[in-house]
Amino acid sequence: MLALLLQLYGLYWPSQPGPSIGLANIDKVAHALMFGAVAFTAVRAFGRPGVVVGLLATHAVVSEAVQHFALPGRSGDIRDVAADLLGTVVFAWLAGALPRRRRSTS
C-alpha cells in the first residue's frame, strides 16, 4: 500500500515532487523504481503477474497523459512511460521468480 501511495504522490502532485539533484535522467530511475515497487508488492501479494503488468502499463500511459494535459506544472514524457514499463516488467518478473515462503500451520 505504501508503494502505491508513494507512486501516486510522485505521479500526480501538481509540481515535480522532491528536490532537483542535478543528475541526468535520475527521474527515469525514480519512475522505474516507483512502478517496480508497486509491481513487486502486487505480484507477491496477489500473484497474477500478467494482470499486474497490464494494469501498470495502462497506468503508465494514463499518468503521463494526465501530467501533460491536466497538471499545469507537469509535462508528459514518453521516456517516462518506457522507464515505467521497464521497472514494471523487471520487478514483476523478480517477484514471480523468488520462492514464496510457506506459512506455518502451527
Side-chain angles (χ1 to χ4, degrees), residues 17-71:
S20 175
I21 58 174
L23 293 175
N25 297 315
I26 194 69
D27 66 313
K28 305 309 178 245
V29 174
H31 273 266
L33 291 175
M34 282 191 306
F35 274 77
V38 173
F40 185 87
T41 55
V43 169
R44 292 302 283 182
F46 307 114
R48 315 232 358 173
V51 172
V52 170
V53 168
L55 289 171
L56 287 174
T58 301
H59 188 218
V61 173
V62 168
S63 68
E64 290 303 315
V66 168
Q67 287 178 17
H68 187 76
F69 294 111
L71 297 175

